[in-house]
Amino acid sequence: MIKTEHLSHFYSVGTPFETVAIEDINLHIKKGEYVGVIGHTGSGKSTLIAHFNAILKPTSGKIFIDGKDLWSEDKKQRIQTRFDVGLVFQYPEHQLFEETVYKDIAFGPKNMGLSEEEIHRRVEKAMRFVGLSESVLEKSPFDLSGGQKRRVAIAGVMALEPKVLILDEPAAGLDPMGRDEILGRIREYHQETGSTVLLVSHSMEDVSKNADSILVMNRGRCQMHASVPEVFERADELEKMGLDVPRITRVFFALQDKGYPVSRNVFTVEQGKAEITRLLKEGGKNHA
Amino acid sequence: MLKDITLGQYFPVKSFMHALDPRMKLLLTLLYVVALFLVSDFWGFLVAAFLIGLVASFSKISLKVVFRGLKPLVFIIMFTAFFNVLYGGGEPLFPQIEWLSWIKTDGVKNAAFMIIRIILLILGTSYLTYTTSPVMLTDALERLMRPLKIFRFPVHELAMMMTIALRFIPTLIDETDKIINAQKARGADFETGNIIRRAKALIPILIPLLVSAFHRAEELADAMECRCYHGGAGRTRYKIYSLGWRDWVALGAMVLSFAAIIMLRIY
Amino acid sequence: MSTIIEVSNLSFSYPTEEGKAAHRVLHDIDLKIEEGEFVAILGHNGCGKSTLAKHFNGILKADRGSVHVLGMDAGDEENLLEIRRNVGMVFQNPDNQIIATVVDEDVAFALENLGIPHDEMARRVDEALELVGLSEYRQRAPHMLSGGQKQRVAIAGILAMRPKCIILDEPTAMLDPKGRKEVMKTILRLNREEHITVVLITHYMDEAVQADRVIVMAEGEMILDDTPREVFQNVGLLHSLSLDVPQTAELMFALRQEDIKVPISVLNVDECVAEIEKLLGGGEND
């Protein structure tokens, strides 16, 4: 779905302030994959995702979206491709501007030049995905709570019905309830539409709960792109990059280091519980 | 994008001019402007130009850079010069050529004076902003205008407003870039269509920007209250300006030039 | 030890537009915060925790009941300056609380307002920047700093007043993990070494477990008020309030539900590992 070849981006090219933002990124993200993108501030992850919908132009290298070379196309084509890749920025509620929630969600589809009926269908569908009720449709988005505003903003991008949905820290600043709600909605959206989803996050716990694979960015390079267990297997490297593995995973790493026959692939509390009950049962059998 | 605009145009380097007390610089600029308007012949301009030359050589900012700043104003300067010529009196400059008879000696002289005066004016004030940070300028303004408080002129409030505005300019520029990108991602088109269409396309940027500015203002007000802000009464200042030998030297140079210009005017 | 903040019977509603019923945000809160304590306040958005905090230094005024800070009535306009000098507040968004365009000038802002003489001011600015570890950044423009650094500038701006207590309203919510660690380290240092009373409002459990005392709020009321160990035993209750529980405590809770005997109060990874070892080891000795 998304492929990059030797993708690099430098800022302030040709001045003494030239800095490398990302360098030589070679990625292949499959259709329908749910990818967690991890890396600390300044690792290049925001620069990377800004390339996927042509907000930034690469200094060198190529990007293919659904097989099409993004920068070999003419401008019109590129705008079309932009609709194929929906990008939800950090704190997306800051982009709301219309008088009503309906109009705000319809802004994207309208820009696509769709018919009224199609726009209507898409707005309703997007509302359902983010779990907003009909009653807020005619309200001003500025009268909603913080969590609701965020959901309206995300619906505004979902209404483009993109093939790829990219979300930059969609849960930042929300309380645990708001965070679980949003991440849950995104997971359902992914399952229901089968579209490719990229979730940029600082939280290993959120990523490990939701994503199929993890892409680790560090100092402008893609350090890892593999399944969740494979990435956590390299916990030492993650820690060196200033990234953390979930607490529960660390517990099981410690247990294994002490010689207990536990799995290293424990990322959630449920998995942890299952692993310990299994051990207790086996332990019981061995002694019986 | 928007980040490329260098508002306030301050060049942070270390030089004689940068080290001057901002209050003194403001005062000197004022004197310089008054002097420019007292000048009545080319010799007077020569003195002013000599001053600018001095300032340029003591500020580590070359005249070339400053002249580049004049570019956007060339049209306006030429335009006013043209009208000066058009309505000027005196003898025709080219008596032999009939279709140029509207060009008269006084008109040309006035136009030339005007061009030189405007250019010298802009050069002088540019050097003030190039060598003084906006914050220092605000500070200097507040301190120099303090006597106005007697007339209940809100000197402190104005200065505080300017300080806060300066502080938030980079933040709001950042924010604008983010909003533009977010609306672009929803297919907003800012680049095509006629003027009305383009103006309309700005709504999705301006409204969020306003909303955010209000929100920030509210939070800032709370934060300022928490830090015991209660207006200008009884405030002390962290930054203290003191006049040093440089300031006196600069003042001396200015006073001499000023005197020279007045002498030229009298004789 | 003296009492820093004493809240009794506090109720508060935000004024609403005409016609609408006033929405009560706080109900009969009673609370005492003693000098030197590190108190964390938890609760979902809209539970009233920020509203409560804004009563601690007179930004909001009680509808009913009273708030006393260091024995002074916060409802009395006369006391406000003295109260705010002693109880400082840091907010969520670092960008919206920095006033000046140079770091040290921002730190000096409160001192300017208080009319502190220049030499004393310079000393206090140095001291505050030193405490948050930003002495080398004193001449920088705040908007060029990282989120964690900006938030430390904001803390320094409060510290310069030499307050007895600092209230932090979700100071790490907008920061990345690195910034969060920086800020937490600073907060802990202020409490442990400088003995400044700290009230920390947060959503992050790993921050709350570092406090001496955790208060859980819901719908304008205080539900729990105890040590972190005791509070995080109430996994079920916290879940029902949609609050996070440290994963390790959650694991213990899940095991207990399976009738596996483990203590409930496990907070960090090492404790958790030790308990599971006991469990497995115990099984083998049977």
Side-chain angles (χ1 to χ4, degrees):
Chain A
M1 192 67 220
I2 302 177
K3 216 174 122 187
T4 65
E5 283 174 4
H6 307 290
L7 176 65
S8 298
H9 192 95
F10 305 137
Y11 284 118
S12 312
V13 176
T15 73
F17 307 107
E18 184 170 307
T19 41
V20 182
I22 51 173
E23 199 171 8
D24 197 26
I25 307 272
N26 297 291
L27 271 180
H28 185 86
I29 293 167
K30 288 190 269 316
K31 207 176 196 123
E33 198 175 334
Y34 192 146
V35 189
V37 183
I38 284 254
H40 50 74
T41 313
S43 62
K45 56 190 195 314
S46 298
T47 308
L48 178 67
I49 58 170
H51 279 91
F52 294 155
N53 83 339
I55 282 199
L56 285 180
K57 192 180 176 176
T59 309
S60 65
K62 282 181 175 173
I63 308 156
F64 299 91
I65 303 289
D66 216 4
K68 283 176 283 188
D69 182 349
L70 195 54
W71 289 94
S72 75
E73 297 166 356
D74 68 301
K75 210 173 155 190
K76 264 202 177 139
Q77 269 297 310
R78 200 156 45 239
I79 285 177
Q80 201 48 51
T81 314
R82 187 170 277 170
F83 293 127
D84 287 342
V85 181
L87 186 47
V88 179
F89 286 89
Q90 257 181 57
Y91 301 99
E93 60 275 22
H94 292 169
Q95 73 192 29
L96 300 176
F97 71 98
E98 281 283 14
E99 297 151 59
T100 67
V101 169
Y102 181 92
K103 281 190 188 170
D104 214 293
I105 300 176
F107 179 66
K110 220 178 221 164
N111 287 327
M112 295 171 81
L114 300 171
S115 70
E116 279 301 322
E117 298 92 71
E118 177 63 12
I119 291 176
H120 191 73
R121 186 190 69 76
R122 289 188 171 207
V123 172
E124 298 229 302
K125 201 170 159 195
M127 295 274 290
R128 220 163 359 92
F129 276 133
V130 297
L132 285 168
S133 72
E134 298 259 330
S135 62
V136 302
L137 270 182
E138 292 307 315
K139 276 193 187 169
S140 160
F142 300 111
D143 289 340
L144 305 178
S145 74
Q148 283 177 317
K149 274 187 207 165
R150 173 113 11 131
R151 282 190 270 162
V152 171
I154 294 175
V157 176
M158 283 180 174
L160 301 170
E161 301 198 343
K163 292 176 189 160
V164 182
L165 181 66
I166 306 176
L167 304 108
D168 192 355
E169 300 234 30
L174 296 179
D175 62 5
M177 178 165 46
R179 179 200 61 207
D180 290 344
E181 166 89 38
I182 292 239
L183 294 178
R185 294 287 172 185
I186 295 166
R187 198 165 48 227
E188 277 169 33
Y189 169 88
H190 172 245
Q191 281 157 4
E192 216 171 296
T193 61
S195 51
T196 313
V197 174
L198 270 72
L199 174 75
V200 180
S201 175
H202 284 309
S203 163
M204 278 290 184
E205 294 178 12
D206 290 349
V207 165
S208 58
K209 259 188 230 168
N210 291 287
D212 308 321
S213 65
I214 300 184
L215 197 160
V216 181
M217 292 291 295
N218 191 38
R219 294 182 186 197
R221 286 178 181 270
C222 172
Q223 295 288 353
M224 308 176 195
H225 178 207
S227 70
V228 177
E230 281 171 299
V231 166
F232 285 156
E233 195 50 49
R234 294 158 74 179
D236 297 347
E237 282 175 65
L238 292 176
E239 255 157 33
K240 246 178 235 158
M241 289 177 221
L243 301 167
D244 260 342
V245 294
R247 263 165 186 257
I248 191 108
T249 311
R250 269 192 283 152
V251 168
F252 281 83
F253 280 5
L255 284 172
Q256 204 196 38
D257 290 345
K258 293 193 176 203
Y260 291 94
V262 292
S263 154
R264 286 175 83 90
N265 300 342
V266 175
F267 320 120
T268 64
V269 172
E270 288 76 51
Q271 289 170 340
K273 186 175 93 176
E275 190 63 13
I276 289 176
T277 41
R278 180 185 66 83
L279 266 181
L280 283 174
K281 267 184 205 149
E282 280 175 11
K285 265 180 212 159
N286 289 345
H287 283 269
Chain B
M1 258 188 285
L2 280 167
K3 280 178 194 153
D4 299 335
I5 301 172
T6 45
L7 231 135
Q9 289 275 334
Y10 169 61
F11 288 78
V13 286
K14 278 201 169 109
S15 79
F16 181 88
M17 286 308 291
H18 284 77
L20 287 184
D21 186 317
R23 291 171 301 175
M24 181 57 90
K25 268 190 276 190
L26 207 61
L27 209 71
L28 293 179
T29 313
L30 210 68
L31 273 175
Y32 171 78
V33 172
V34 172
L36 269 186
F37 281 94
L38 287 175
V39 169
S40 54
D41 59 2
F42 282 103
W43 292 108
F45 284 132
L46 207 64
V47 175
F50 177 70
L51 259 185
I52 288 293
L54 270 182
V55 169
S57 53
F58 279 102
S59 68
K60 288 190 190 160
I61 299 165
S62 81
L63 270 168
K64 236 198 261 163
V65 178
V66 188
F67 266 110
R68 225 180 287 148
L70 280 174
K71 257 189 203 158
L73 298 167
V74 166
F75 179 74
I76 298 174
I77 295 175
M78 295 320 283
F79 194 72
T80 26
F82 174 74
F83 275 96
N84 261 302
V85 175
L86 200 62
Y87 295 109
E91 298 297 311
L93 194 59
F94 309 100
Q96 298 88 343
I97 312 166
E98 187 164 344
W99 62 274
L100 281 177
S101 65
W102 56 277
I103 301 180
K104 304 212 175 76
T105 46
D106 282 5
V108 171
K109 197 180 150 202
N110 282 345
F113 268 41
M114 207 227 40
I115 290 176
I116 297 174
R117 191 171 275 142
I118 292 184
I119 289 176
L120 284 171
L121 191 75
I122 295 171
L123 290 183
T125 45
S126 296
Y127 270 111
L128 175 68
T129 57
Y130 286 157
T131 62
T132 322
S133 76
V135 180
M136 284 175 114
L137 266 182
T138 318
D139 250 10
L141 264 177
E142 181 181 1
R143 283 166 216 228
L144 284 177
M145 280 160 64
R146 203 169 280 167
L148 290 179
K149 267 189 188 159
I150 302 168
F151 308 109
R152 306 207 157 192
F153 188 78
V155 179
H156 166 74
E157 284 74 8
L158 274 179
M160 182 54 79
M161 275 163 60
M162 271 169 76
T163 309
I164 290 172
L166 289 170
R167 148 73 185 79
F168 275 90
I169 283 169
T171 310
L172 289 176
I173 287 179
D174 254 15
E175 179 118 29
T176 312
D177 271 341
K178 277 184 202 151
I179 295 171
I180 290 176
N181 279 339
Q183 305 301 25
K184 266 192 188 167
R186 291 204 282 167
D189 178 9
F190 306 113
E191 281 136 25
T192 57
N194 57 27
I195 289 186
I196 295 171
R197 251 199 78 155
R198 284 189 194 207
K200 264 193 178 164
L202 288 179
I203 293 174
I205 300 172
L206 292 179
I207 291 182
L209 201 59
L210 269 176
V211 170
S212 127
F214 274 117
H215 180 73
R216 286 180 191 279
E218 260 174 49
E219 286 195 14
L220 185 71
D222 273 351
M224 286 172 74
E225 263 194 73
C226 284
R227 287 161 80 184
C228 302
Y229 182 68
H230 55 280
R235 262 187 129 229
T236 46
R237 298 310 302 270
Y238 174 63
K239 220 177 194 168
I240 287 184
Y241 295 113
S242 56
L243 298 174
W245 62 271
R246 289 187 184 87
D247 299 290
W248 299 119
V249 170
L251 182 66
M254 186 69 224
V255 167
L256 278 179
S257 318
F258 200 89
I261 285 169
I262 290 183
M263 297 278 271
L264 285 167
R265 192 180 162 86
I266 296 172
Y267 301 106
Chain C
M1 250 202 280
S2 60
T3 305
I4 299 276
I5 296 166
E6 184 167 6
V7 176
S8 48
N9 236 338
L10 169 69
S11 293
F12 182 80
S13 319
Y14 278 105
T16 49
E17 293 157 47
E18 270 180 75
K20 283 184 192 165
H23 175 62
R24 181 81 81 78
V25 189
L26 297 173
H27 299 272
D28 300 324
I29 304 268
D30 282 294
L31 172 69
K32 247 188 193 181
I33 292 172
E34 304 291 340
E35 189 166 0
E37 272 194 296
F38 179 178
V39 184
I41 304 184
L42 299 175
H44 62 76
N45 284 347
C47 72
K49 54 193 188 325
S50 295
T51 309
L52 176 63
K54 282 183 180 167
H55 281 86
F56 293 165
N57 69 346
I59 296 287
L60 290 176
K61 245 187 220 157
D63 289 347
R64 225 178 53 213
S66 68
V67 179
H68 282 85
V69 179
L70 295 161
M72 292 176 283
D73 182 2
D76 188 349
E77 205 65 45
E78 295 265 297
N79 294 332
L80 281 187
L81 221 52
E82 195 55 24
I83 287 178
R84 286 180 187 155
R85 207 166 69 87
N86 282 294
V87 178
M89 196 155 174
V90 175
F91 297 88
Q92 187 185 93
N93 190 336
D95 278 325
N96 297 352
Q97 49 190 326
I98 293 175
I99 292 114
T101 40
V102 186
V103 167
D104 62 351
E105 284 179 41
D106 187 73
V107 175
F109 181 71
L111 303 178
E112 293 183 321
N113 294 331
L114 290 166
I116 307 284
H118 181 265
D119 291 351
E120 168 77 8
M121 204 186 300
R123 257 201 307 281
R124 290 214 205 167
V125 169
D126 290 348
E127 174 194 287
L129 282 171
E130 183 73 43
L131 275 175
V132 300
L134 286 177
S135 295
E136 302 125 73
Y137 294 85
R138 57 182 311 145
Q139 285 300 315
R140 297 283 189 89
H143 72 271
M144 305 295 276
L145 302 179
S146 74
Q149 289 169 333
K150 280 187 217 170
Q151 208 58 305
R152 279 148 66 205
V153 171
I155 293 175
I158 297 298
L159 281 178
M161 298 193 286
R162 295 200 179 139
K164 289 222 156 56
C165 172
I166 298 187
I167 299 158
L168 303 108
D169 190 353
E170 294 189 41
T172 57
M174 300 181 77
L175 306 182
D176 64 357
K178 190 167 160 265
R180 280 177 52 201
K181 272 182 205 151
E182 283 170 26
V183 169
M184 271 316 284
K185 221 174 101 188
T186 308
I187 296 173
L188 275 170
R189 177 161 173 214
L190 295 180
N191 180 254
R192 305 278 139 88
E193 290 170 27
E194 305 297 317
H195 309 291
I196 295 171
T197 312
V198 171
V199 178
L200 173 71
I201 297 177
T202 184
H203 289 310
Y204 294 108
M205 298 308 127
D206 48 340
E207 293 173 10
V209 295
Q210 302 184 55
D212 307 322
R213 174 179 167 196
V214 175
I215 293 173
V216 177
M217 287 187 65
E219 318 313 328
E221 286 177 57
M222 281 170 43
I223 307 280
L224 295 169
D225 179 0
D226 217 323
T227 60
R229 199 170 285 280
E230 294 298 319
V231 164
F232 288 118
Q233 289 187 10
N234 301 287
V235 176
L237 175 65
L238 293 174
H239 272 299
S240 75
L241 296 172
S242 301
L243 292 173
D244 269 346
V245 179
Q247 272 188 332
T248 42
E250 219 172 304
L251 179 65
M252 294 294 118
F253 178 72
L255 291 174
R256 281 179 73 88
Q257 280 187 327
E258 298 289 309
D259 282 331
I260 298 168
K261 282 197 189 71
V262 283
I264 336 172
S265 53
V266 163
L267 292 179
N268 62 39
V269 171
D270 294 340
E271 280 177 23
C272 187
V273 171
E275 284 308 328
I276 296 174
E277 268 194 285
K278 249 192 242 164
L279 192 68
L280 296 174
E284 275 163 26
N285 289 338
D286 269 351

